[in-house]
């Protein structure tokens, strides 16, 4: 049976609207606005990396960045997620008994859990991992996606895996662990970025993705 390691944001759910709104609100709460940015927000990476790409350090130093991240967690985690719909067709794949599903996401545990609960999706996943999932361990730090893939796969040794995501970081995490990656084109990443990250295939629709998963099963 094929095990599918899914990214969450931009792959299973369209969270961009609510993430963006929470980011704008949080940045304004520390006295900055869009005019201070060197680049627009690109939703997908962790919040600190989004901020690093959007602001010069002279504008958003480490202290202010920590304030923005703290404000974002409060604003986003409690937004209700009423404007975070699933992408068309993905639930059909999640409900397909031919596959075993996992999530590896940059989104922290609280928001991830609340979204899965709201969508009624907890029943579909045998494991869910975030960079923060293992931080209760002594001297633990945030895990990278590559590390999270490895931890997920270790619990199912000898099984066949594939990674599915919308960004090059998802593809690189999969290939670093010796499994194929499929890039989806309805999220943040471009086809060129996904191809450069050695995606085995790219999918423009859930129907295309399902066909590619069937071929790997």
């Amino acid at each position: 049976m094929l095990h599918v390691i899914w990214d969450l944001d931009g792959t299973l759910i369209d969270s961009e609207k609510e993430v963006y709104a929470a980011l704008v609100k949080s940045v304004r709460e520390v006295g900055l606005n869009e005019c201070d940015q060197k680049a627009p927000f690109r939703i997908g990476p962790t919040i600190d990396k989004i901020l690093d790409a959007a602001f010069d350090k002279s504008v958003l130093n480490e202290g202010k960045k920590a304030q923005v991240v703290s404000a974002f967690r409060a604003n986003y985690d409690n937004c209700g997620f009423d404007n975070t719909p699933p992408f068309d067709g993905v639930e059909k794949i999640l409900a397909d008994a031919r596959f075993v599903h996992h999530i590896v996401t940059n989104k922290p545990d609280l928001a991830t859990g609340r979204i899965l609960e709201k969508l009624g999706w907890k029943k579909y996943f045998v494991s869910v991992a975030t960079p923060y999932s293992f931080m209760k361990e002594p001297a633990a730090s945030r895990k990278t996606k590559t590390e999270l893939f490895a931890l997920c796969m270790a619990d199912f040794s000898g099984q066949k895996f594939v990674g599915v995501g919308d960004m090059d970081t998802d593809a690189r995490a999969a290939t670093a662990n010796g499994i194929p990656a499929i890039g989806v084109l309805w999220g943040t990443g471009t086809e060129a970025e996904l191809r450069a990250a050695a995606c085995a295939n790219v999918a423009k629709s859930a129907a295309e993705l399902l066909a590619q998963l069937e071929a790997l099963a």
Side-chain angles (χ1 to χ4, degrees), residues 3 8 17 38 40 48 52-53 58 63 82 91 133-134 139 160 173 185 213:
H3 287 244
L8 184 58
K17 183 176 181 179
K38 65 179 180 180
D48 53 349
D52 286 341
S58 59
D82 294 322
E91 187 164 8
S133 297
F134 302 90
K160 185 184 292 188
L185 298 180
L213 293 174

Side-chain angles (χ1 to χ4, degrees), residues 28-130:
R28 289 175 178 171
E29 286 176 0
V30 302
L32 300 174
N33 58 50
E34 297 92 320
C35 296
D36 298 304
Q37 295 178 217
K38 65 179 180 180
F41 294 131
R42 193 182 193 206
I43 308 304
T46 56
I47 296 305
D48 53 349
K49 289 183 179 179
I50 293 174
L51 293 171
D52 286 341
F55 293 96
D56 284 322
K57 290 187 180 297
S58 59
V59 174
L60 190 70
N61 59 33
E62 290 301 312
K64 275 196 172 183
K65 184 168 74 172
Q67 293 175 33
V68 174
V69 171
S70 178
F72 176 82
R73 290 269 65 89
N75 290 326
Y76 182 68
D77 291 351
N78 296 291
C79 72
F81 307 106
D82 294 322
N83 294 303
T84 297
F87 285 106
D88 290 343
V90 295
E91 187 164 8
K92 178 182 177 181
I93 302 175
L94 296 179
D96 194 319
R98 292 174 294 174
F99 310 116
V100 178
H101 301 289
H102 310 261
I103 287 178
V104 168
T105 176
N106 283 325
K107 189 183 294 297
D109 299 273
L110 179 60
T112 298
R114 287 180 174 175
I115 290 170
L116 295 181
E117 183 73 35
K118 189 175 185 68
L119 293 173
W121 279 7
K122 286 191 172 182
K123 61 190 177 187
Y124 293 132
F125 299 98
V126 299
S127 72
V128 178
T130 85

